[in-house]
Amino acid sequence: MAPGHVKQAAAGTRGRDSADLRSQVKPAPFAYHRAHSVEEAVALLAELGDEAKILAGGLSLVPMMNFRLARPAALVDVSRIEGLSYLRADDSADDGAGGGLRIGALTTHRTVETCRDPAVRRGYGVLPRSARWIGHYPIRSRGTFGGSIAHADPASEWCLLAVLLDARIVLTGPGGQRTVPAAGFFQGYYSTAASPDEMITEIWFPRPAPRAVLTEFARRQGDFAIVAAAVSVDIQEGVCRRGRVVLGGVGPLPVEVNADPLAGAPAAGPTWQAMGELAAGQIDPPEDTHGDAGFRRKLTVTLVARALAEASRTAEASQTAEASRTAEASRRAEA
Ligand SMILES: Cc1cc2nc3c(=O)[nH]c(=O)nc-3n(C[C@H](O)[C@H](O)[C@H](O)COP(=O)(O)OP(=O)(O)OC[C@H]3O[C@@H](n4cnc5c(N)ncnc54)[C@H](O)[C@@H]3O)c2cc1C
């Protein structure tokens, strides 16, 4: 369809047939626009106003429209915009020269999961490792990173990891670009700091997090987590220097709990269990058909302890790898 071409979708407006059609379709009527560039998408959003919504993979938006939980008057389809599917990594921390990992908004979950770039695997391996928790293969093949962040489900893996890894959300609007820290971006159930005329174009992870782990519990494989725990821990000579814990499914947005007691504690099972209990004491989880608050607290204890134990094994493995790299480098220097 040519730029700016509008198609009336769902319940059509063509005389006699429209009533029949209206009874057969699930979503409320909407106009469809396809954008071919970020500039065109942003201009359409500005022109169409609050009633328009971006369509990316459609995996969250379309079911909501089918249940008429969302009734946008217009959709701006961004899925064919070129140049927004990428992972660009530099595993040094950002030094003002553009380090870190940049993920384009239209990058699918599957592209992250299958990324083999050594710089991504080394510094940000938690992202490819965690993608397997997202839905099923078809969901991961079509759903986008930017769509997950924009949808802001409080149990979404990418939302949790964005907070844990201090990601910055890059938004493009009619006035240009702005960058919002993930911690301030999520504002409640399915609610973010993005304006209706802004599009997420990139998610930037400024610092590597080699010792981060996400784990979760769902009743069936592929379901959203009932509770998810994302942690990072820095361990030196068997002692934790610092750690962070972010939880999903326990409130309206990803919840970071106070993990200060990890600093100075031995890197061992009792520390992970104590941190799990401390985390569970800091949350006020909701009650729904998937479980009550007590169940979510118990899950929190187990998942935090499990994630920290896994992160500590990752820490040991990377220290061993680092030590052998250093030994190899000095052998070569001596030869
Ligand atoms: C059966 C099933 C299981 C799932 N399981 C999980 C799971 O375990 N974990 C998980 O995290 N997700 C899960 N999902 C959701 C999936 O990850 C979606 O891909 C994701 O939530 C939304 O991405 P999308 O590209 O499909 O966005 P869409 O559905 O197209 O859009 C979602 C929302 O984001 C907005 N939006 C999209 N892109 C942008 C952008 N670039 N800028 C601004 N706004 C934008 C849209 O307007 C809309 O409001 C599941 C979905 C299904 C159907």
Side-chain angles (χ1 to χ4, degrees):
M1 199 183 308
H5 189 110
V6 180
K7 194 171 179 180
Q8 189 73 25
T13 53
R14 288 193 205 114
R16 191 163 63 80
D17 294 343
S18 64
D20 299 344
L21 192 56
R22 199 172 289 127
S23 65
Q24 288 168 19
V25 296
K26 291 179 179 174
F30 60 91
Y32 173 88
H33 304 256
R34 179 173 291 159
H36 296 81
S37 66
V38 172
E39 295 71 30
E40 193 187 349
V42 167
L44 280 166
L45 290 172
E47 182 192 319
L48 296 164
D50 294 6
E51 296 299 307
K53 276 213 159 280
I54 286 178
L55 176 71
L59 288 165
S60 296
L61 182 57
V62 172
M64 288 181 82
M65 288 172 67
N66 286 345
F67 284 113
R68 301 212 176 188
L69 295 170
R71 303 170 75 111
L75 292 184
V76 177
D77 184 348
V78 298
S79 62
R80 306 264 177 102
I81 296 179
E82 285 182 11
L84 284 185
S85 174
Y86 56 83
L87 289 103
R88 290 188 197 126
D90 171 347
D91 60 356
S92 59
D94 177 59
D95 54 2
L101 169 67
R102 290 171 188 273
I103 301 185
L106 294 181
T107 310
T108 63
H109 311 317
R110 181 73 183 151
T111 302
V112 178
E113 184 177 15
T114 54
C115 178
R116 294 283 171 267
D117 179 344
V120 174
R121 291 266 157 192
R122 236 183 351 256
Y124 309 89
V126 66
L127 293 165
R129 283 196 307 271
S130 303
R132 72 187 167 90
W133 292 108
I134 303 174
H136 305 278
Y137 176 77
I139 307 290
R140 297 200 291 278
S141 301
R142 197 168 167 83
T144 66
F145 206 104
S148 280
I149 297 288
H151 188 59
D153 188 297
S156 152
E157 290 76 9
W158 294 154
C159 296
L160 255 65
L161 289 171
V163 173
L164 183 80
L165 272 55
D166 291 325
R168 313 290 154 84
I169 316 303
V170 181
L171 296 162
T172 305
Q177 263 191 6
R178 68 183 178 116
T179 300
V180 182
F185 185 73
F186 303 111
Q187 299 194 332
Y189 288 107
Y190 314 112
S191 162
T192 71
S195 304
D197 58 359
E198 285 180 313
M199 174 177 172
I200 297 175
T201 43
E202 187 176 76
I203 296 86
W204 172 38
F205 294 88
R207 272 180 302 282
R211 286 140 206 185
V213 165
L214 180 143
T215 191
E216 63 184 52
F217 176 80
R219 290 200 194 277
R220 297 176 310 185
Q221 201 206 336
D223 282 0
F224 269 101
I226 297 177
V227 173
V231 308
S232 62
V233 66
D234 186 1
I235 298 170
Q236 279 165 30
E237 291 163 4
V239 177
C240 296
R241 297 296 166 202
R242 67 185 76 80
R244 290 179 68 184
V245 175
V246 179
L247 301 170
V250 300
L253 64 168
V255 175
E256 174 151 22
V257 297
N258 178 4
D260 289 352
L262 281 178
T271 300
W272 314 143
Q273 180 69 18
M275 186 60 232
E277 282 160 16
L278 195 71
Q282 294 179 56
I283 54 173
D284 184 14
E287 219 164 286
D288 58 25
T289 49
H290 301 296
D292 61 17
F295 179 54
R296 283 189 158 86
R297 280 206 191 84
K298 277 190 188 152
L299 283 177
T300 298
V301 176
T302 304
L303 293 171
V304 168
R306 188 181 292 167
L308 285 167
E310 194 182 322
S312 73
R313 288 194 293 274
T314 312
E316 276 168 28
S318 68
Q319 272 166 9
T320 312
E322 183 64 39
S324 62
R325 269 199 298 275
T326 312
E328 177 62 22
S330 45
R331 256 199 307 279
R332 285 201 184 140
E334 280 164 17

